[in-house]
């Protein structure tokens, strides 16, 4: 349904005052009236200057407003949309300063308000150029550039907008590349009308052009005036979509759509009349209280999707056909991905482009609507003639879309409105079949495994692991080298200390010959043998010589007697008696075997000491001991 043609585009300037906060400074195109008071637009300053806008050089914000009827006009309240472009400039560069400029920087936003959100893509580029040109003047009193911009917006309303402009500056390629199969989850979530903090409405064909009731939960003009079409021109895409009930009216009574919603609008979200909403925010408070304010949260900073409602989570579970379909779409985007320009395919072709993605979702949605109508037809003819059923369709094709999701969708307001205003035989125009119908195949498993492996980013993780391991090896090598160096230094210190102690001991020792000889078995206090006593050694040697001489003499006498008496007589004698008598006649001498062990040791020691003393005396006399020997 077309928007009312009575609304004229407006332009305003929002300034950030250091004491009063954001406020509207100028209205352009209002012709002496005050749109703020007439339409209760007191939240425009907070919508136009979002939280954190000062952290970037240029920031855009989108928001929805309720445009009320003027006094005496028979016009229904409708929704209009605003887009703001925020900039800031150093106060020192201004050619003229007002008394309110007390800070180092001036922050302002130029806002364009229109009832045609489908033109936001082109309007955003124009607004950016105009805002830069106005700031380049460095004199904010000159509004000529903004006035020309508002005049151009009013004149351009007769131009025919193109379908390709039906998105709010979002890149569907980037969303599919980032969220993959979860993109289909988000799409099906839109149909269930939960409380969502994000916007994907451009995936619903024609929905951007049918948002007249989205700014307030009390507005329901679209549903009240919608009627079932009685004809269709299949060659006309607009006529065909209208006959199929597209766009689905996701934002009617009890629903709110706010591309950017400040904290000052939370009272609308928590109102009892608000059953569902689709909003965007930059304030962390909504993230901290996500369980209170939303059923599903899409965090673009963390690239995460959090479904907090258990019932919604089970309803959004994808079927095998759904996974096969979204895997195909994701692969088409990834195969044409270009990091330098994510918004368009690397091949510059149709496959994987923004328009390709939109048409794929459109085909999915139309097949879903047709399958649902055929499901109703099967229920009405389950006991009738089988020939009344479609011959080339087996069973219930709606089962391919997950029964839990269909059961939840049938309870929504948009389903009730669609079912009431559409023909029961839509499946005669659109085939009631899932785009990727069929059971799970080996190709599906291989594709899903390949996608899951790609999601692991093994190359990136291994490269990081290699860097960490190399760093640890270098650190470990340095630690080991330092440890060995410390140990070697300690060893050198110990060796040096031992060397010094040995030198001190040599210096403290008395010179040779300054001490008297000590006993050969007694060591000196410094560990050296004392010089032997020569007189004692000579006496001991003489005594041992006498004993040895006596021993030899006794044996010599005994041998002489045996020669005289004859050796044979001695053998043939009476034996032991004669032997004992003869042995008694031998002189008694001490033999070596009869000496005690101590005597033998003393004699040997005395002989060694005597030889040692003899060599020492020869050294003292200057003789060579070897020659003397």
């Amino acid at each position: 349904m077309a928007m009312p043609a009575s609304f004229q585009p407006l332009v305003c300037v929002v300034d950030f005052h250091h004491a009063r906060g954001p406020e509207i400074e100028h209205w352009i195109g209002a012709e002496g009236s005050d749109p703020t008071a007439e339409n209760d637009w007191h939240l425009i300053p907070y919508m136009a200057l979002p939280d954190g806008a000062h952290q970037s050089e240029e920031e855009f914000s989108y928001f929805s407003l309720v445009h009320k009827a003027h006094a005496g006009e028979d016009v229904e309240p409708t929704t209009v949309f605003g887009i703001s472009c925020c900039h800031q400039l150093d106060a020192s560069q201004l050619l003229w300063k007002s008394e309110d400029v007390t800070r180092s920087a001036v922050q302002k936003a130029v806002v364009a308000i229109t009832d045609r959100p489908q033109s936001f893509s082109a309007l955003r580029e124009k607004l950016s150029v105009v805002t830069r040109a106005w700031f380049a003047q460095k004199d904010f009193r000159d509004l000529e550039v903004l006035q020309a911009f508002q005049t151009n917006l009013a004149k351009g309303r007769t131009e025919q907008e193109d379908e390709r402009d039906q998105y709010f500056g979002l890149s569907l390629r980037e969303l599919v590349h980032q969220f993959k199969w979860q993109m289909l989850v988000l799409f099906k979530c839109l149909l269930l009308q939960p409380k969502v903090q994000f916007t994907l409405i451009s995936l619903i064909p024609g929905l951007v052009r049918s948002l007249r009731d989205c700014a307030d939960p009390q507005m329901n003009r679209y549903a009240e005036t919608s009627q079932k079409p009685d004809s269709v021109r299949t060659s006309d895409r607009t006529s065909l979509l209208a006959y199929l009930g597209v766009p689905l009216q996701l934002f009617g009574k009890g629903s709110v759509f706010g591309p950017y919603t400040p904290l000052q609008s939370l009272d609308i979200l928590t109102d009892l009349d608000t059953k569902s909403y689709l909003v965007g925010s930059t304030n962390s408070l909504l993230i901290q209280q996500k369980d209170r304010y939303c059923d599903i949260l899409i965090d673009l900073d963390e690239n995460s999707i959090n479904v907090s409602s258990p019932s919604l989570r089970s309803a959004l579970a994808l079927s095998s056909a759904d996974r096969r379909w979204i895997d195909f779409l994701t692969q088409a985007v990834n195969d044409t991905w270009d990091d330098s320009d994510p918004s368009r395919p690397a091949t510059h072709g149709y496959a994987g482009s923004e328009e390709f993605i939109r048409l794929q979702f459109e085909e999915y949605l139309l097949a879903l609507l047709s399958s649902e109508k055929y499901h109703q037809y099967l229920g009405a003819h389950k006991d009738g003639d089988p020939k009344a059923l479609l011959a080339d369709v087996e069973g219930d094709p709606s089962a391919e879309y997950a029964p839990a999701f269909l059961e939840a969708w049938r309870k929504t307001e948009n389903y009730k409105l669609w079912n009431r205003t559409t023909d029961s035989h839509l499946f005669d125009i659109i085939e009631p079949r899932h785009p990727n119908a069929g059971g799970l195949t080996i190709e599906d498993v291989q594709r899903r495994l390949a996608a899951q492996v790609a999601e692991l980013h093994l190359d990136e993780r291994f490269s990081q692991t290699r860097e960490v391991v190399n760093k640890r090896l270098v650190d470990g090598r340095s630690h080991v080298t330092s440890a060995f160096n410390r140990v070697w230094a300690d060893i050198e210190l110990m060796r040096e200390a031992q060397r010094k102690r040995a030198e001190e001991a040599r210096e403290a020792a008395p010179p040779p010959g300054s001490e008297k000889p000590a006993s050969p078995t007694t060591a000196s206090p410094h560990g050296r043998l004392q010089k032997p006593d020569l007189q004692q050694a000579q006496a001991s040697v003489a005594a041992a010589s006498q004993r040895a001489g006596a021993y030899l003499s006794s044996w010599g006498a005994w041998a002489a007697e045996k020669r005289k008496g004859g050796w044979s007589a001695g053998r043939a004698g009476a034996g032991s008696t004669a032997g004992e008598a003869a042995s008694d006649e031998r002189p008694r001498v001490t033999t070596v075997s009869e000496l005690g062990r101590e005597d033998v040791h003393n004699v040997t020691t005395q002989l060694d000491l005597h030889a040692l003393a003899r060599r020492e005396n020869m050294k003292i006399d200057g003789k060579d001991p070897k020659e003397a020997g």
Side-chain angles (χ1 to χ4, degrees):
M1 181 173 294
M3 295 289 186
S6 60
F7 182 81
Q8 295 296 320
L10 298 174
V11 174
C12 68
V13 176
V14 176
D15 174 63
F16 186 84
H17 193 273
H18 67 281
R20 299 187 295 267
E23 58 183 7
I24 297 178
E25 191 175 21
H26 302 288
W27 276 106
I28 301 174
E31 298 179 356
S33 62
D34 186 6
T36 304
E38 294 175 356
N39 299 282
D40 194 16
W41 288 349
H42 299 287
L43 294 181
I44 286 182
Y46 302 98
M47 297 176 177
L49 288 175
D51 300 325
H54 62 282
Q55 298 178 358
S56 58
E57 180 181 354
E58 184 179 58
E59 186 72 23
F60 292 91
S61 176
Y62 306 89
F63 49 91
S64 58
L65 300 167
V66 177
H67 180 247
K68 298 181 179 180
H70 291 253
E73 293 183 356
D74 186 17
V75 179
E76 291 288 339
T78 185
T79 300
V80 294
F81 295 86
I83 175 174
S84 69
C85 180
C86 310
H87 276 260
Q88 56 184 350
L89 181 68
D90 290 340
S92 59
Q93 300 180 9
L94 291 175
L95 301 179
W96 177 83
K97 294 182 182 180
S98 65
E99 297 179 355
D100 295 333
V101 178
T102 58
R103 295 190 175 185
S104 60
V106 177
Q107 185 180 16
K108 295 179 183 293
V110 178
V111 182
I113 300 177
T114 179
D115 60 349
R116 300 185 179 184
Q118 64 269 23
S119 63
F120 267 11
S121 180
L123 181 58
R124 171 188 172 117
E125 301 300 326
K126 296 178 182 179
L127 183 61
S128 176
V129 174
V130 170
T131 306
R132 289 179 181 273
W134 187 52
F135 269 76
Q137 297 178 160
K138 301 179 181 179
D139 186 352
F140 296 122
R141 296 175 299 177
D142 189 356
L143 303 177
E144 183 179 357
V145 175
L146 302 183
Q147 292 172 352
F149 174 57
Q150 190 275 333
T151 303
N152 181 268
L153 290 179
K155 290 181 179 180
R157 290 178 57 83
T158 58
E159 299 176 359
Q160 185 69 25
E161 292 88 358
D162 198 343
E163 282 290 328
R164 65 188 178 193
D165 292 333
Q166 293 194 13
Y167 58 94
F168 283 41
L170 294 176
S171 174
L172 293 179
R173 281 177 51 82
E174 295 184 37
L175 293 176
V176 173
H177 179 74
Q178 180 61 47
F179 293 109
K180 301 178 178 60
W181 60 271
Q182 292 178 316
M183 272 290 292
L184 183 55
V185 173
L186 296 177
F187 178 79
K188 300 178 77 170
C189 182
L190 290 178
L191 304 183
L192 300 183
Q193 293 181 274
K195 300 176 180 179
V196 187
Q197 289 181 234
F198 195 64
T199 175
L200 283 174
I201 61 172
S202 65
L203 295 179
I204 306 295
L207 182 57
V208 178
R209 298 173 179 267
S210 303
L211 295 175
R212 61 176 303 176
D213 298 332
C214 73
D216 191 279
Q218 299 297 331
M219 302 170 65
N220 197 32
R221 182 65 176 173
Y222 182 92
E224 294 174 355
T225 58
S226 294
Q227 297 179 358
K228 180 184 297 186
D230 53 4
S231 63
V232 58
R233 296 190 304 273
T234 57
S235 59
D236 185 356
R237 181 173 180 272
T238 303
S239 176
L240 177 62
L241 292 178
Y243 185 79
L244 296 174
V246 178
L248 298 176
Q249 192 60 20
L250 302 181
F251 306 105
K253 187 175 181 60
S255 299
V256 175
F257 170 56
Y260 175 73
T261 303
L263 293 180
Q264 290 77 7
S265 299
L266 290 183
D267 58 337
I268 299 178
L269 304 183
T270 57
D271 191 270
L272 294 178
D273 294 332
T274 304
K275 306 302 180 181
S276 64
Y277 52 76
L278 186 64
V279 297
S281 178
T282 58
N283 196 290
S284 60
L285 178 62
L286 294 179
I287 298 179
Q288 296 172 1
Q289 301 183 9
K290 58 186 178 182
D291 295 336
R292 176 184 178 186
Y293 289 109
C294 59
D295 297 324
I296 178 170
L297 173 67
I298 299 92
D299 192 340
L300 295 181
D301 292 332
E302 300 294 336
N303 292 325
S304 62
I305 298 177
N306 185 3
V307 182
S308 56
S309 173
S311 59
L312 182 62
R313 189 181 301 113
S314 60
L316 294 178
L318 301 181
S319 64
S320 299
D322 286 341
R323 284 303 301 261
R324 187 183 305 112
W325 181 84
I326 192 61
D327 288 345
F328 161 75
L329 183 60
T330 303
Q331 184 176 359
V333 173
N334 292 338
D335 291 345
T336 59
W337 186 255
D338 185 3
D339 291 328
S340 60
D341 188 6
S343 62
R344 62 181 60 188
T347 58
H348 298 282
Y350 172 72
S353 63
E354 298 272 330
E355 191 66 19
F356 172 81
I357 296 174
R358 285 192 179 87
L359 290 181
Q360 293 299 318
F361 275 97
E362 178 180 320
E363 178 188 8
Y364 180 92
L365 177 61
L366 297 183
L368 168 63
L369 300 179
S370 178
S371 299
E372 175 61 20
K373 286 294 185 179
Y374 190 70
H375 168 77
Q376 298 176 5
Y377 182 80
L378 289 177
H381 296 79
K382 58 182 178 180
D383 297 330
D385 186 5
K387 295 182 180 180
L389 305 180
L390 296 180
D392 56 344
V393 177
E394 297 181 2
D396 187 358
S398 65
E400 298 284 358
Y401 293 91
F405 163 74
L406 294 176
E407 182 179 356
W409 180 43
R410 291 166 187 148
K411 299 177 182 179
T412 63
E413 293 298 326
N414 74 85
Y415 176 86
K416 296 175 182 178
L417 177 61
W418 167 80
N419 193 38
R420 176 172 59 85
T421 58
T422 53
D423 189 82
S424 60
H425 285 66
L426 295 183
F427 51 84
D428 290 335
I429 300 177
I430 301 296
E431 183 181 10
R433 185 188 302 274
H434 193 289
N436 288 80
L440 190 65
T441 62
I442 187 63
E443 290 79 7
D444 299 331
V445 177
Q446 293 176 349
R447 188 185 304 107
R448 193 169 303 175
L449 288 176
Q452 292 177 352
V453 171
E455 291 177 5
L456 295 177
H457 302 288
L458 296 180
D459 294 338
E460 300 176 4
R461 296 185 179 183
F462 286 159
S463 62
Q464 296 176 359
T465 303
R466 285 195 296 269
E467 293 177 1
V468 172
V469 171
N470 293 335
K471 183 178 180 181
R472 293 293 181 267
L473 289 176
V474 173
D475 295 341
R477 189 184 302 113
S478 61
H479 292 330
V480 172
T481 303
S482 301
F484 274 116
N485 292 338
R486 287 195 297 268
V487 172
W488 187 256
D490 294 342
I491 293 175
E492 290 295 330
L493 290 176
M494 293 175 60
R495 294 178 61 184
E496 185 64 23
Q498 291 178 355
R499 193 180 302 110
K500 289 182 179 180
R501 287 197 296 269
E503 292 178 356
E504 292 175 359
R506 283 196 296 270
E507 293 176 357
S514 61
E515 296 183 359
K516 294 182 179 180
S519 172
T521 59
T522 305
S524 67
H526 299 288
R528 297 179 179 179
L529 293 176
Q530 298 182 357
K531 195 172 183 179
D533 189 352
L534 298 179
Q535 294 179 356
Q536 183 179 0
Q538 290 175 356
S540 299
V541 170
S545 300
Q546 290 177 0
R547 291 182 180 181
Y551 175 77
L552 294 175
S553 298
S554 63
W555 275 101
W558 179 76
E561 291 178 359
K562 294 298 291 182
R563 282 197 303 269
K564 292 178 180 179
W567 295 97
S568 58
R571 294 188 190 95
S576 61
T577 304
E580 292 176 359
S583 62
D584 291 339
E585 294 177 358
R586 290 199 302 266
R588 184 68 176 176
V589 295
T590 303
T591 63
V592 176
S593 59
E594 294 175 348
L595 294 176
R597 291 185 178 181
E598 295 181 358
D599 295 335
V600 174
H601 177 69
N602 291 334
V603 172
T604 306
T605 303
Q606 293 297 333
L607 291 174
D608 294 338
L609 293 175
H610 180 67
L612 179 61
R614 185 178 179 187
R615 285 196 295 272
E616 292 291 335
N617 291 334
M618 289 182 180
K619 289 181 179 180
I620 296 174
D621 295 340
K623 297 180 180 180
D624 188 358
K626 294 181 180 180
E627 294 178 357

